[in-house]
Amino acid sequence: MKTRVALIAFGIGFGLWGVWLMLQSLEPSQLIRLPLWLGGVVIADDFVLVPLTVAVGWLVTRWSIGPDHHRTVGAVRTTLLYVGITTLIAIPLLLRQGKGANPTVLPRNYLRDWLLLEATIIGVGLVVFVIQRSRLTLRRSRASSGDIGGR
Amino acid sequence: MKLPAPPTEDSFRSPLHHPRVATVIGRWLAAAVVICFLTGLFSHFVQETSAWLHIPTRPASLYRVTQGLHVLSGTIAVPLLLAKLWTVYPKLFAKPELKTLLERGSILVLVAAMALELFIGYLNTLQWYPWPFPFKQTHYALAWIIVGALLVHIAVKLPLIRSHWRRTTDAVPESLPPATTGLTRRGLFRTVAGAASLVGISTIGQSVPVFGPVAVLAPRKPNVGPQGLPVNRTAHDAGVFRIAADWRFTISGPQQLSLSLTELQGLPQSRSDLPIACVEGWSQGAHWEGIRIRDLLHLCGAPASSRVRVVSMEKGGFYATTELPPEYAADPLTLLALRLNGGELALDHGFPARIIAPNRPGVLQTKWVHRLEVLS
């Protein structure tokens, strides 16, 4: 209990220090608009990004109930997740492509690089998918040929 | 038409919305937050150059490592935060109760502050500022609010964290067995760790040149720029358009010296291999040649360990005048650099003269220096 009380005391102290710093360094007009941004990111997280992940996860799980799909669902899910997270990180780069403060900021061709990255992720995902499926077919053919080792 | 009922806590059937999963991913996220906070704090104090705090000049590449870690831990916190929010998402739909009001309030503060912090931090590495408040001050204040809210969150959840710190086996599976859904807890941990690694590997190349070619999501390429070095503020942005032929460098101490560029070039030259390490996380090593600051101090009759004010010709900006603490002025690696990577400094790199010192953020490596003032 002592630990928890100490944690809460320090937590509130640090938090208030942060609020004080904020009040010191931001002008009233900026302080008024800051909560809009804080609220905006919560909406983006809790009502856009996470529901999207939940929805896609639900669809993938539903699809995985189909015959033999549970063997390959791992590859499908991981590929979708990796494509999603790298695209999320890439969005600001794609939006600001060519608009860097000077030519050394954002010097890459981000559209090409992003497409290459996604193609690589999907390519690797497909290879894993095919391997997982062929293992399945192999097992089945061994099982049907009466091989005890197969299932 | 009747609207569908809103989801409740029980609408989410995946067994992965579990305290054990939240504990494990929470630990990873907390590690990223702690690294990010401490390296950020270090960067803050290095930039402050306050008289009471002595920052060592060695290791020379310390700031390069800490700031690279700062941006890396912040970037990989994005997938970790999303994974954590996904795990505990059903809690958002739990019935509101009076006794959990404080807890939920602290979580709201934590999520809002952390999501905004990561968002503005990442956009800062692109030098993109679409928000109506100052980046540096907001980023710093939010960091304290995050750490505070995190401590309260840990305190509230401590019994739950303790009971799920180690792996437990559920006697009764709460939902479909993993064999059907295809994702075990361990599988989820591997996938999340993979996502964080993927994001890390595709961005770290801006600070670690070895990973440069695969840094497809990095806002910088460390070798792109005049003389193989990126630029944050160009001469044009700083209002330095041309250097007059009769340009002179002055140093005021016990004696006042005024030197032309040719006279500076005639003084004993030293070499330093030092990186430019920027607050935005990118860094690149370079070969510098110029006059040691302590040699210049000696010439004007000041001790090597003097506090020195560095005055630039740049117009506007927060760093037109900076201070070099005594231990930095005395360090043999600290130069008034005239040459970079074998050539005369490019105008964008601070021609005719700039400061280069070990273990310092790029913003304090003042360019277009035309005056040094000995303060003590």
Side-chain angles (χ1 to χ4, degrees):
Chain A
M1 199 60 205
K2 267 186 191 161
T3 322
R4 298 179 75 187
V5 171
L7 282 172
I8 288 180
F10 273 104
I12 291 175
F14 286 173
L16 290 176
W17 169 243
V19 171
W20 189 83
L21 284 172
M22 199 76 92
L23 294 173
Q24 287 290 305
S25 52
L26 267 67
E27 287 165 19
S29 65
Q30 297 169 332
L31 284 170
I32 292 167
R33 285 186 281 179
L34 183 67
L36 293 178
W37 283 77
L38 287 166
V41 290
V42 172
I43 290 170
D45 279 337
D46 281 354
F47 299 98
V48 180
L49 289 175
V50 179
L52 193 70
T53 330
V54 170
V56 173
W58 182 79
L59 284 174
V60 170
T61 306
R62 215 177 119 90
W63 172 83
S64 74
I65 296 167
D68 297 337
H69 287 173
H70 65 281
R71 301 269 176 206
T72 47
V73 67
V76 173
R77 182 185 284 126
T78 308
T79 306
L80 284 172
L81 188 80
Y82 288 4
V83 166
I85 189 68
T86 49
T87 302
L88 180 70
I89 298 285
I91 288 172
L93 299 165
L94 295 170
L95 288 176
R96 296 296 290 174
Q97 172 90 61
K99 294 179 192 159
N102 69 62
T104 71
V105 186
L106 304 170
R108 304 184 83 102
N109 181 345
Y110 290 98
L111 181 61
R112 182 203 63 191
D113 286 358
W114 171 68
L115 288 172
L116 274 174
L117 177 64
E118 302 316 328
T120 311
I121 295 171
I122 293 168
V124 173
L126 268 176
V127 169
V128 177
F129 182 89
V130 168
I131 291 172
Q132 286 179 339
R133 209 180 43 185
S134 63
R135 267 196 204 145
L136 175 74
T137 338
L138 189 70
R139 280 201 195 117
R140 188 177 293 144
S141 62
R142 286 168 72 190
S144 59
S145 67
D147 185 334
I148 305 296
R151 283 197 294 160
Chain B
M1 197 181 87
K2 201 177 160 217
L3 289 169
T8 64
E9 203 179 344
D10 299 328
S11 309
F12 301 88
R13 307 294 289 274
S14 169
L16 296 170
H17 298 295
H18 189 277
R20 166 67 187 164
V21 179
T23 305
V24 172
I25 295 180
R27 277 193 318 230
W28 296 351
L29 183 57
V33 169
V34 168
I35 293 172
C36 210
F37 179 68
L38 293 178
T39 50
L41 216 53
F42 177 67
S43 178
H44 179 83
F45 285 118
V46 169
Q47 283 182 68
E48 287 288 288
T49 51
S50 44
W52 56 270
L53 188 74
H54 290 277
I55 305 277
T57 58
R58 302 298 161 85
S61 288
L62 181 63
Y63 188 77
R64 180 181 202 180
V65 174
T66 61
Q67 201 57 17
L69 268 178
H70 180 73
V71 173
L72 176 69
S73 56
T75 312
I76 66 171
V78 174
L80 296 180
L81 176 63
L82 285 173
K84 181 74 164 66
L85 289 178
W86 180 88
T87 306
V88 297
Y89 195 57
K91 295 275 173 214
L92 187 65
F93 301 95
K95 229 169 92 184
E97 283 175 55
L98 200 61
K99 65 174 184 185
T100 58
L101 210 60
L102 176 77
E103 178 192 342
R104 300 189 80 167
S106 76
I107 292 172
L108 179 66
V109 171
L110 182 58
V111 173
M114 205 188 288
L116 187 62
E117 186 83 329
L118 296 179
F119 178 70
I120 65 175
Y122 179 57
L123 260 55
N124 176 54
T125 68
L126 280 68
Q127 295 200 11
W128 184 22
Y129 309 96
W131 46 79
F133 38 84
F135 168 73
K136 199 178 133 187
Q137 291 85 341
T138 312
H139 199 63
Y140 182 60
L142 278 177
W144 284 102
I145 296 176
I146 290 167
V147 171
L150 183 60
L151 289 180
V152 173
H153 181 56
I154 291 172
V156 170
K157 297 288 184 191
L158 202 57
L160 203 62
I161 296 171
R162 276 194 177 131
S163 58
H164 292 92
W165 192 258
R166 290 177 191 288
R167 188 154 26 127
T168 49
T169 42
D170 283 330
V172 187
E174 290 168 26
S175 177
L176 297 170
T180 313
T181 61
L183 195 61
T184 58
R185 277 182 205 163
R186 183 163 290 183
L188 176 78
F189 298 152
R190 268 203 292 256
T191 311
V192 172
S197 311
L198 188 62
V199 167
I201 289 168
S202 52
T203 55
I204 189 63
Q206 61 178 340
S207 340
V208 184
V210 182
F211 287 101
V214 293
V216 287
L217 299 179
R220 295 281 191 157
K221 264 178 154 171
N223 56 354
V224 166
Q227 298 175 291
L229 195 66
V231 173
N232 252 18
R233 197 157 187 240
T234 60
H236 184 270
D237 293 343
V240 180
F241 297 108
R242 50 179 288 276
I243 304 300
D246 60 347
W247 177 85
R248 292 189 83 79
F249 169 83
T250 55
I251 176 163
S252 67
Q255 295 165 44
Q256 175 104 5
L257 294 178
S258 173
L259 301 154
S260 69
L261 181 57
T262 321
E263 286 167 329
L264 278 175
Q265 286 161 343
L267 294 172
Q269 305 287 306
S270 300
R271 293 175 61 100
S272 292
D273 284 343
L274 289 175
I276 286 283
C278 216
V279 280
E280 284 92 20
W282 65 266
S283 58
Q284 171 75 327
H287 310 293
W288 308 90
E289 287 167 67
I291 310 108
R292 283 183 179 147
I293 297 297
R294 66 178 193 186
D295 292 349
L296 285 168
L297 291 171
H298 182 72
L299 274 181
C300 80
S305 288
S306 300
R307 181 168 288 276
V308 178
R309 179 180 292 146
V310 180
V311 186
S312 167
M313 292 180 279
E314 69 180 82
K315 292 172 185 69
F318 303 111
Y319 302 99
T321 305
T322 56
E323 266 183 35
L324 212 48
E327 57 272 32
Y328 280 81
D331 195 293
L333 286 180
T334 306
L335 303 181
L336 180 75
L338 307 177
R339 294 172 68 78
L340 160 62
N341 290 340
E344 198 168 58
L345 278 177
L347 188 58
D348 280 342
H349 285 310
F351 177 82
R354 76 171 299 167
I355 293 291
I356 187 76
N359 189 23
R360 283 209 115 188
V363 286
L364 296 179
Q365 311 278 30
T366 312
K367 303 195 271 193
W368 311 291
V369 173
H370 72 148
R371 189 172 168 79
L372 294 182
E373 295 167 15
V374 180
L375 297 175
S376 57

